[in-house]
Amino acid sequence: MRHRCTAFLLLLVACLVLVACQPASRVHFIAEGQPASLAEWGVLRVEDGWLRLNDGVVPYDLNTPLFSDYAHKLRTVWMPVGMTATYQPERSFDFPVGTILSKTFYYPLPAGKAWDGKSVARTPPSSSSLEGEALDLSKVRLVETRLLVHRAEGWVALPYVWNDAQTEATLKRTGELATFDLVDAQGGREVANYQVPDQNQCGGCHITDNKSRKLLPIGPKARHLNRDFDYAGGRDNQLAHLARVGYLAGVPAQPPRLADASDARASLDARARAYLDINCGHCHSATGPAITSGLWLDAGTQDRLKLGFCKQPIAAGKGTGNRMHDIVPGSAEESIFDFRMDSNDPAIMMPELGRSVVHREGVELIRAWINAQPGSCDAANETDIQPPPAV
């Protein structure tokens, strides 16, 4: 009996040691509550000066990212073993309960410079600082990591802010303000008052269905993810890769794809419509919170009036800049679009959340697109305006 007890105790000790020695790379889906530390989820880890992905966490990117004060984003998805998302042709994929989506906002540091407490590089948000699915923390500044967690009751948004030492991120339910100097390639500086949203503000973008009023993912749609990505194991199409690792089922032979708005090889129309879709379409759509505006900017909308051409605004006031139409073909300077995109006044600017500075390249793109449109808003000529080409 003594030998059996001794053997049992030795086995118990061995099990406890084994549990204690489990790698920190294990992800934990937490079904209830609001963990105070990002580390409790186990999605990411800081190790030897690098931010790394844990086991089963798959990175992804979008053809055109949503603009957020020039911040770059490391996006990831994780699902429990045996779970898979179902492909949807237009909407975000149908992710199972247990899914954890993460989005880490960061800025590259100016070339060859260490962190000085304020200076970050103003570079294209579509570029990436990933090296083998990891971020070198000597070259970037982490700001926040937002989790979108699919629990039994629906999706829950949790914003975590990284500390000054870049070693851990803690939950900030009420949000936080961070100020940076955006430094361009010529050394010019612009102050960005980067706003980490509070939990309620997350709904400003992620409530994409005005009837259900439930949080939903925005980026993981086929048209945004249909592109190649440099994974640690090699370059691969993202949709094919997600299917291969068991995270996505039902991908068709020819899924839709939107353009990279920064790719000069794509047509001007394709680039502009892709930009409007990701930055505006989740709100301005047939189901979004801005449905009553009559302005629908998602990729599927082709009706010229709904796209804003020669459309008068529902509400007048400061936000119109005393301009008569959302878009005047051939004249960006007469269009409300141009006025609101080129402003950083909270009472005027669009999008109204997620930025404190003007996206110069985005303004230039939409301005060029409007100026290239044929037709006129003169009553006598409105019937002569040609519809925009399909995306």
Side-chain angles (χ1 to χ4, degrees):
M1 186 68 177
R2 172 185 287 180
H3 293 298
R4 289 183 178 177
C5 290
T6 301
F8 175 76
L9 289 172
L10 289 173
L11 179 61
L12 179 61
V13 170
C15 288
L16 291 173
V17 170
L18 181 62
V19 170
C21 294
Q22 286 294 313
S25 58
R26 182 179 178 184
V27 180
H28 304 278
F29 173 71
I30 302 171
E32 297 179 346
Q34 301 194 356
S37 172
L38 178 65
E40 295 181 54
W41 295 92
V43 174
L44 308 169
R45 71 182 188 277
V46 175
E47 179 181 83
D48 300 327
W50 290 76
L51 182 69
R52 302 185 184 278
L53 311 185
N54 284 340
D55 294 344
V57 178
V58 177
Y60 67 92
D61 214 340
L62 310 184
N63 283 312
T64 297
L66 188 149
F67 178 73
S68 306
D69 279 350
Y70 288 97
H72 296 226
K73 299 162 189 177
L74 165 58
R75 302 169 180 84
T76 73
V77 56
W78 176 90
M79 292 177 223
V81 175
M83 296 290 190
T84 187
T86 302
Y87 177 90
Q88 302 286 343
E90 297 179 2
R91 302 191 305 271
S92 295
F93 302 143
D94 186 6
F95 291 97
V97 171
T99 300
I100 303 174
L101 300 175
S102 84
K103 184 161 58 173
T104 298
F105 294 70
Y106 69 92
Y107 286 99
L109 298 179
K113 303 291 186 179
W115 171 242
D116 63 5
K118 61 179 180 179
S119 302
V120 295
R122 188 181 79 83
T123 54
S126 57
S127 61
S128 172
S129 298
L130 280 180
E131 300 179 39
E133 299 186 16
L135 288 173
D136 183 346
L137 297 181
S138 70
K139 298 178 181 179
V140 303
R141 185 67 184 176
L142 305 178
V143 185
E144 59 163 325
T145 295
R146 301 178 193 174
L147 296 187
L148 202 57
V149 181
H150 197 186
R151 289 174 167 168
E153 69 273 19
W155 290 93
V156 178
L158 300 167
Y160 291 87
V161 176
W162 287 89
N163 62 2
D164 289 339
Q166 303 281 271
T167 55
E168 63 178 351
T170 56
L171 183 65
K172 297 289 185 180
R173 297 181 59 188
T174 57
E176 189 165 290
L177 183 66
T179 301
F180 299 100
D181 278 2
L182 302 176
V183 184
D184 62 26
Q186 291 73 42
R189 291 177 175 266
E190 179 180 19
V191 175
N193 294 309
Y194 181 99
Q195 180 67 57
V196 176
D198 62 40
Q199 283 184 294
N200 291 330
Q201 288 175 319
C202 292
C205 289
H206 285 279
I207 295 178
T208 57
D209 188 324
N210 204 39
K211 291 184 179 179
S212 71
R213 304 297 297 171
K214 292 182 178 180
L215 297 181
L216 292 169
I218 296 173
K221 299 181 177 76
R223 61 183 181 270
H224 299 316
L225 268 62
N226 187 7
R227 54 162 289 173
D228 288 348
F229 188 93
D230 290 319
Y231 297 98
R235 193 169 180 81
D236 195 8
N237 177 272
Q238 291 185 140
L239 296 179
H241 185 82
L242 290 171
R244 190 172 298 112
V245 300
Y247 275 8
L248 184 61
V251 180
Q254 294 185 323
R257 179 185 181 276
L258 288 186
D260 174 354
S262 65
D263 184 359
R265 296 170 298 179
S267 72
L268 177 60
D269 187 76
R271 294 167 60 205
R273 290 302 306 276
Y275 184 88
L276 293 174
D277 182 71
I278 191 63
N279 283 282
C280 315
H282 50 275
C283 187
H284 284 276
S285 74
T287 61
I291 183 175
T292 56
S293 71
L295 182 65
W296 301 355
L297 300 174
D298 56 302
T301 296
Q302 295 301 319
D303 183 284
R304 189 168 181 77
L305 185 61
K306 288 185 172 64
L307 284 171
F309 287 89
C310 299
K311 175 188 170 300
Q312 293 185 341
I314 298 298
K318 187 177 180 180
T320 68
N322 295 318
R323 304 178 186 195
M324 295 298 296
H325 301 98
D326 289 339
I327 295 178
V328 177
S331 182
E333 66 180 13
E334 296 180 81
S335 303
I336 297 173
F337 261 47
D338 185 73
F339 176 70
R340 303 194 76 170
M341 287 184 63
D342 199 26
S343 174
N344 59 6
D345 183 337
I348 297 173
M349 68 184 193
M350 279 289 176
E352 58 188 359
L353 296 174
R355 72 174 178 91
S356 66
V357 301
V358 173
H359 186 197
R360 303 175 198 171
E361 296 79 7
V363 170
E364 291 170 2
L365 170 63
I366 302 304
R367 185 174 289 164
W369 177 65
I370 293 174
N371 286 336
Q373 298 300 311
S376 166
C377 288
D378 294 338
N381 298 325
E382 282 184 2
T383 56
D384 297 329
I385 301 174
Q386 298 299 311
V391 177

